[in-house]
Amino acid sequence: LTDEIAQLMRSAQESFLLFKIRNEIEIAPLENAIDAQRQALELIENDHPKRSELLDDLNRLLRSRFLHEVSRFDHAQLERLNVLLERIGDLSSMDRVARIQEVARIGVSFWSRYKSSGELQDLEDAHILFKYLLPTAPEDLHPSCLTCLDYLAISLNSRFLRLDRLKDQEDAITIERIALDLTPSGYP
């Protein structure tokens, strides 16, 4: 590798770490990591043995950006999430897996009620809960949350069918692809 490519790779890693250290709130370090990774890819030869590693790293960074964007809440959604979590009650005594499963179970209940009643608020509540379970980095995804990705995609697709927002369908497809890529081989 040339010094320039190695420096770009280090810059991408450092920027991504900064993004993680800042609790994934500030997106600029992630954007810097993506830019540095893309520049390194432009400079490396197509047959270089490190090229596939660079492509994998760029893919991971792009997934992190997508998950970061999809998992953000607008003000109204954040208020509704707080109401829903208050209704659910104290989950602090549960371990992470039990919390994920409990919130997902309640989200599925809202989605099922939406399917029966057609009440859009139930669909929105299910969507908010599934989104709440979504980590902002693929490597933070707990295996039990793979189902949550599927539920989130289903809620997005339902919202697309109801409101005809193409972005919902595009996000659902991307989430399904991420879930498929993150599913360990042999996972049921």
Side-chain angles (χ1 to χ4, degrees):
L1 290 176
T2 67
D3 288 342
E4 186 178 9
I5 293 171
Q7 175 57 38
L8 286 166
M9 290 172 66
R10 276 192 302 279
S11 175
Q13 290 171 344
E14 290 167 3
S15 293
F16 185 70
L17 283 174
L18 185 59
F19 173 68
K20 297 294 285 178
I21 289 168
R22 293 185 179 165
N23 293 321
E24 302 165 354
I25 295 171
E26 187 180 327
I27 192 82
L30 181 58
E31 293 295 347
N32 293 340
I34 291 169
D35 289 343
Q37 199 71 21
R38 283 184 170 150
Q39 290 173 24
L41 270 167
E42 287 175 10
L43 296 173
I44 200 165
E45 297 171 10
N46 286 341
D47 60 348
H48 195 284
K50 287 276 191 183
R51 185 168 180 79
S52 65
E53 182 182 324
L54 286 171
L55 285 168
D56 287 343
D57 288 346
L58 178 61
N59 186 26
R60 180 176 48 86
L61 293 169
L62 291 171
R63 284 181 182 175
S64 291
R65 182 176 64 187
F66 175 78
L67 290 173
H68 181 270
E69 290 170 358
V70 165
S71 65
R72 287 189 313 208
F73 290 95
D74 63 30
H75 183 69
Q77 287 176 324
L78 196 54
E79 284 182 3
R80 186 65 186 163
L81 175 63
N82 287 330
V83 168
L84 292 170
L85 291 177
E86 194 173 290
R87 272 197 210 158
I88 291 170
D90 186 16
L91 301 175
S92 61
S93 63
M94 298 179 177
D95 66 13
R96 181 177 180 209
V97 174
R99 274 194 315 271
I100 289 170
Q101 291 170 339
E102 179 64 11
V103 173
R105 184 188 64 74
I106 294 167
V108 168
S109 296
F110 277 118
W111 186 80
S112 296
R113 192 165 72 181
Y114 163 74
K115 291 302 285 178
S116 300
S117 70
E119 183 63 42
L120 188 57
Q121 187 60 54
D122 288 332
L123 177 60
E124 291 298 332
D125 288 349
H127 176 75
I128 287 170
L129 289 175
F130 297 141
K131 198 162 120 168
Y132 168 71
L133 296 174
L134 188 65
T136 55
E139 60 272 9
D140 295 337
L141 184 69
H142 189 278
S144 67
C145 204
L146 286 171
T147 304
C148 297
L149 286 174
D150 192 40
Y151 292 149
L152 180 59
I154 289 169
S155 72
L156 283 165
N157 193 51
S158 295
R159 198 165 68 179
F160 162 73
L161 293 172
R162 175 78 182 263
L163 302 175
D164 201 30
R165 290 194 302 214
L166 188 57
K167 174 118 176 70
D168 287 337
Q169 187 178 45
E170 291 168 350
D171 287 350
I173 292 167
T174 302
I175 288 169
E176 287 289 355
R177 286 182 179 150
I178 289 172
L180 186 61
D181 289 345
L182 294 174
T183 303
S185 60
Y187 191 77

